[in-house]
């Protein structure tokens, strides 16, 4: 009985931490940039453990159409190491905050040759099991319109106009109804006083005074 | 008469279905093994490699056509709801003005969408206009006629 309990507890202790040891890395899916501008590639991770002092970030770059990736950035032991020989020398800057699990980099002065896939890999010892995440960078001469912006704008404007027209219509009806109500009261008063005078044949008006309505 | 009412309702439903199919099916342009616009461009690969679809182009005129088609479907649906509402609430001898306005606006939107697509779609060899485009052009006069019928229609009791 005791051995069974001991075995079960060892198994449970063995299984539960196993599940929580994977590290999840988040980057964007795609980033668009204009030629000559700067682009910030963000990378952050989720881990069940506290952020250790030996946390490492590394970025690799694979150009479009190539099968090889080169390493362009590495952060370890509290020191960022930036590319000083490859295609990004003097153009790469570390703008992340490892204490806040942010390993973002800034690429300055984009060029068409920077089209490609950037992969971020983060490790938070002892959480080291994880899949690196990639972000695709597309460099444009002019920024294209995102899908659905114009569609949403046209639909929103037309439906907004419709709602506005309906609201104005009901408001006018409400206001006119109130005004008609107050007008008919004074009209009734006027009619009562002028009625008997109108039913007579036309004779020169009698010289009597009538109180003003 | 009940027959006229039923006929008008069935026509309205047919128009709504036509517009929905034309908006949702991505078949405004057909090529060899390829269909594209309004939302996706899909291609059947050679050598039986399968059927690949990718996101449609983001140009501004395609987005305008998308918006106009969606608006026309919405307005056709609103006019159906207004028709059913006015059927029970309208006074004797009244006319279905609300329904007619929405239906005519819907036909206007379909017309604009079809015209924009006709003018702006790129001329490429071996591409022709697909069935969704034809449905849009068929739906426009049907919608207009339906709207005009609603103007003439008068509620009896």
């Amino acid at each position: 009985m005791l051995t069974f309990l001991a075995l079960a507890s060892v198994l449970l202790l063995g299984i539960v931490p196993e599940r929580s040891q994977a590290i999840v890395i988040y980057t964007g899916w795609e980033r668009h940039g204009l030629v000559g501008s700067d682009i910030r590639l963000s990378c952050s991770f989720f881990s069940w453990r506290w952020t250790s002092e030996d946390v490492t970030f590394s970025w690799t770059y694979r150009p479009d159409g190539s099968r090889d990736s080169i390493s362009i950035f590495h952060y370890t032991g509290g020191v960022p190491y930036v590319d000083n020989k490859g295609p990004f020398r003097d153009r790469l800057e570390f703008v992340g905050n490892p204490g806040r699990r942010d390993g973002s980099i800034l690429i300055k002065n984009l060029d068409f040759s920077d089209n490609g896939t950037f992969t971020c890999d983060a490790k938070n010892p002892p959480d080291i099991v994880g899949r690196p995440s990639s972000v695709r960078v597309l460099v444009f001469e002019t920024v294209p319109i995102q899908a659905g912006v114009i569609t949403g704008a046209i639909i929103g404007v037309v439906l907004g106009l419709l709602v506005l027209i309906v609201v104005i219509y009901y408001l006018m009806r409400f206001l006119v109804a109130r005004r008609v109500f107050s007008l008919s009261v004074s009209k009734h008063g006027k009619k009562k006083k002028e009625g008997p005078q109108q039913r007579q044949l036309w004779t020169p008006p009698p010289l009597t005074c009538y109180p003003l309505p | 008469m009940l027959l006229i009412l039923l006929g008008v309702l069935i026509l309205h439903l047919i128009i709504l279905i036509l517009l929905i199919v034309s908006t949702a099916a991505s078949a405004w342009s057909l090529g060899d093994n390829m269909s594209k616009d309004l939302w996706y461009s899909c291609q059947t690969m050679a050598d039986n490699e399968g059927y690949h679809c990718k996101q449609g182009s983001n140009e501004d005129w395609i987005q305008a056509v998308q918006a106009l088609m969606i608006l026309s479907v919405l307005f056709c649906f609103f006019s159906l709801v207004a028709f059913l509402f006015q059927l029970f609430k309208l006074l004797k001898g009244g006319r279905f003005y609300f329904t007619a306005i929405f239906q005519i606006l819907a036909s206007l939107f379909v017309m604009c969408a079809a015209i924009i697509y006709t003018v702006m779609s790129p001329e490429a060899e071996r591409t022709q206009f697909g069935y969704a485009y034809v449905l849009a052009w068929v739906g426009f006069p049907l919608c207009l006629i339906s709207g005009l019928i609603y103007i003439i229609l008068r509620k009896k009791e």
Side-chain angles (χ1 to χ4, degrees):
Chain A
M1 179 63 181
L2 270 171
T3 46
F4 175 70
L5 271 174
L7 267 171
S9 57
V10 164
L11 246 136
L12 277 172
L13 282 172
I15 290 175
V16 171
E18 283 285 327
R19 213 164 16 136
S20 61
Q21 250 186 16
I23 186 175
V24 184
I25 303 176
Y26 302 107
T27 61
W29 181 250
E30 231 177 48
R31 289 279 177 266
H32 300 181
L34 280 174
V35 181
S37 70
D38 303 339
I39 192 172
R40 180 179 198 266
L41 301 173
S42 67
C43 176
S44 70
F45 65 88
F46 173 75
S47 157
W48 288 102
R49 308 265 176 182
W50 296 112
T51 312
S52 91
E53 287 169 3
D54 303 324
V55 65
T56 62
F57 288 97
S58 57
W59 281 91
T60 58
Y61 167 64
R62 181 169 61 85
D64 262 350
S66 160
R67 279 180 190 268
D68 307 320
S69 23
I70 66 167
S71 184
I72 58 170
F73 175 80
H74 193 66
Y75 175 93
T76 183
V79 181
Y81 298 94
V82 167
D83 178 21
N84 51 7
K85 288 188 174 54
F88 295 98
R89 60 171 165 272
D90 304 329
R91 286 203 290 151
L92 202 59
E93 194 186 315
F94 180 57
V95 292
N97 189 350
R100 289 187 189 274
R101 302 184 169 184
D102 178 17
S104 313
I105 55 172
L106 181 75
I107 301 178
K108 299 190 257 239
N109 204 3
L110 272 180
D111 190 31
F112 287 115
S113 59
D114 296 333
N115 268 308
T117 312
F118 290 77
T119 309
C120 174
D121 192 10
K123 299 203 187 308
N124 183 28
D127 249 353
I128 54 150
V129 179
R131 205 176 291 163
S133 168
S134 310
V135 53
R136 245 196 111 208
V137 166
L138 297 165
V139 183
F140 292 100
E141 260 184 27
T142 53
V143 180
I145 306 171
Q146 269 199 318
V149 167
I150 297 183
T151 313
I154 295 178
I155 294 180
V157 162
V158 172
L159 287 181
L161 272 174
L162 187 72
V163 167
L164 197 70
I165 290 176
V166 166
V167 161
I168 288 181
Y169 172 71
Y170 278 111
L171 202 68
M172 293 302 288
R173 258 188 29 177
F174 176 67
L175 284 178
V176 167
R178 288 186 90 185
R179 255 194 245 150
V180 166
F181 180 62
S182 59
L183 263 175
S184 69
V185 169
S186 56
K187 260 191 192 164
H188 267 298
K190 270 190 200 165
K191 270 188 183 163
K192 270 191 190 158
K193 287 185 178 152
E194 291 176 2
Q197 200 188 12
Q198 280 172 359
R199 274 186 202 144
Q200 292 168 355
L201 289 170
W202 171 246
T203 49
L207 288 169
T208 47
C209 291
Y210 279 96
L212 286 165
Chain B
M1 281 187 59
L2 205 63
L3 269 174
I4 296 179
L5 192 68
L6 215 61
V8 161
L9 195 64
I10 288 180
L11 180 67
H12 200 138
L13 284 173
I14 289 177
I15 292 170
L16 189 63
I17 292 175
L18 274 180
L19 287 180
I20 289 180
V21 168
S22 173
T23 307
S26 265
W28 283 59
S29 258
L30 291 178
D32 44 347
N33 292 337
M34 192 252 309
S35 76
K36 69 188 193 76
D37 292 336
L38 225 34
W39 309 98
Y40 292 111
S41 69
C42 295
Q43 193 164 9
T44 311
M45 295 298 197
D47 314 328
N48 288 336
E49 267 185 32
Y51 190 64
H52 291 259
C53 287
K54 65 171 189 216
Q55 194 86 29
S57 56
N58 285 346
E59 298 160 58
D60 24 15
W61 58 272
I62 286 198
Q63 293 194 30
V65 174
Q66 288 172 352
L68 286 169
M69 288 307 291
I70 291 180
L71 279 173
S72 77
V73 167
L74 277 177
F75 273 60
C76 195
F77 179 68
F78 287 161
S79 90
L80 186 69
V81 167
F83 177 60
L84 293 173
F85 179 73
Q86 285 196 308
L87 205 60
F88 297 116
K89 285 267 185 172
L90 206 57
L91 305 163
K92 215 198 308 186
R95 291 192 161 159
F96 296 87
Y97 280 133
F98 251 129
T99 314
I101 287 177
F102 278 123
Q103 190 80 318
I104 290 182
L105 278 176
S107 84
L108 211 69
F109 288 145
V110 176
M111 180 185 83
C112 289
I115 287 179
I116 292 178
Y117 191 83
T118 312
V119 169
M120 296 292 289
S121 78
E123 310 255 336
E125 77 278 4
R126 294 183 303 171
T127 51
Q128 327 121 347
F129 290 115
Y131 66 87
Y133 174 81
V134 171
L135 282 181
W137 272 117
V138 164
F140 151 60
L142 281 183
C143 206
L144 195 62
I145 291 174
S146 167
L148 291 174
I149 288 180
Y150 283 125
I151 290 184
I152 300 176
L153 206 66
R154 208 190 274 242
K155 185 171 185 194
K156 289 191 198 173
E157 205 45 52

